Amino acid sequence: MPSLLIADDHPLFRAALRQAASEAIGDLQVREAESLDGVLAMLDAAPDTDLILLDLHMPGNHGLAGLAAIRAQHPGVAVIVVSANDDPRVVRRALDHGAAGYLPKSSGLNELREAIHSVMACEQWLPASLRSAVTRAQSSSHDSELAARLASLSPQQFRVLALVAEGLLNKQIADRLDVQERTVKAHLSAIFERLGVRNRTQASVVLRELELSDPARQVL
C-alpha cells in the first residue's frame, strides 16, 4: 500500500489534501505532521514512506532547509513542495534541492491528483502554468553546488549541522543526539570539509542561505 505524509500546520488544508490524495489513489495510507520535527520523527519511524507533501513554511521549516534535511536524511522519499510561493526562481531552487514536484496552494484538486500520480510514477511534476517560466529560470551554479554539498552529508552529520545553526554547543548537541562529545567534534570536522567552510559560523550561514520569505505573512 503506498504511503503519503502530509506536512502542513493548517488542519483544514491537511484535511483537504488528505481527501484529494485518497481520491487520487484509492488504496493509500496517509499520515500527517504539523512541524518539521514531526515530519522527521515520522520518517524515522516509517522510512518506507513513498511521498511527502511538504509546506515550505511550517513550524521548524525555514524555506528550503526542511527539504534539504529530508533529502539528506531520507533520500529515498519523494517530496512534492506545496507552497503559496509560486515565484519561478523559488520553484527552480526547490527542484535543484531535490523536490520531485512543486504544487502552488492555489492549485485545484485535479492538479493535486495529477501531481501525486506523476511523482508516484517517478516523474517530475510542475503545473502547466509554471512550466515555461521555470524552464527559463536558470539554475544558480552556487545553489547547485550547495545542494550537492548538503547531499554529501550523512543523516547524522546533517542533524549536527542543523543543531549548530540553532546555536547549540558541542556538549548540548551530544546530549540532544545521545552521543559522546568527541563524536560531535568528529562530525563537525567532516561537515566543515564537505561544505568547504572553516568554522561553525560559516556552517550556519550555509543553512541560512536556504531561508525564504513566506508570502502568506508579508504585509501588503
Side-chain angles (χ1 to χ4, degrees):
M1 178 187 299
S3 57
L4 170 69
L5 175 56
I6 298 173
D8 194 285
D9 60 329
H10 294 92
L12 290 178
F13 194 72
R14 288 202 308 271
L17 288 176
R18 173 185 281 269
Q19 180 177 349
S22 298
E23 291 175 1
I25 301 177
D27 194 14
L28 182 67
Q29 183 180 31
V30 182
R31 298 182 178 88
E32 298 180 13
E34 58 184 21
S35 69
L36 181 60
D37 285 344
V39 169
L40 296 175
M42 286 191 179
L43 290 177
D44 286 341
D48 58 342
T49 300
D50 296 298
L51 175 64
I52 302 173
L53 301 180
L54 176 69
D55 178 17
L56 287 182
H57 298 287
M58 66 193 306
N61 187 15
H62 305 287
L64 300 171
L67 172 62
I70 293 168
R71 298 301 301 150
Q73 298 180 38
H74 300 276
V77 181
V79 180
I80 296 177
V81 168
V82 182
S83 175
N85 193 333
D86 59 1
D87 183 335
R89 293 167 298 181
V90 172
V91 179
R92 180 74 268 164
R93 291 190 71 194
L95 297 177
D96 288 345
H97 280 278
Y102 199 101
L103 186 73
K105 287 193 173 181
S106 58
S107 301
L109 295 182
N110 287 337
E111 287 182 312
L112 173 60
R113 296 186 190 103
E114 184 182 334
I116 292 175
H117 278 296
S118 296
V119 172
M120 286 290 200
C122 299
E123 300 172 357
Q124 190 178 85
W125 190 89
L126 292 174
S129 60
L130 283 177
R131 288 170 193 165
S132 60
V134 173
T135 299
R136 291 193 302 269
Q138 295 183 350
S139 298
S140 162
S141 58
H142 173 74
D143 225 31
S144 298
E145 180 182 349
L146 174 59
R149 288 185 175 183
L150 289 172
S152 73
L153 300 179
S154 71
Q156 190 76 327
Q157 287 166 355
F158 196 98
R159 294 185 187 103
V160 171
L161 173 62
L163 294 174
V164 167
E166 290 181 17
L168 272 65
L169 301 176
N170 287 358
K171 186 179 186 310
Q172 294 171 311
I173 295 173
D175 291 342
R176 181 78 65 88
L177 298 179
D178 195 24
V179 298
Q180 295 187 351
E181 191 171 349
R182 67 169 178 267
T183 301
V184 174
K185 292 179 180 178
H187 282 318
L188 282 174
S189 296
I191 290 167
F192 293 166
E193 180 179 356
R194 294 185 182 187
L195 296 185
V197 300
R198 290 180 291 183
N199 54 49
R200 302 167 70 94
T201 300
Q202 291 178 347
S204 299
V205 168
V206 169
L207 278 190
R208 285 199 291 272
E209 290 181 20
L210 299 177
E211 294 180 354
L212 298 170
S213 61
D214 184 355
R217 298 182 179 177
Q218 292 178 358
V219 178
L220 299 179

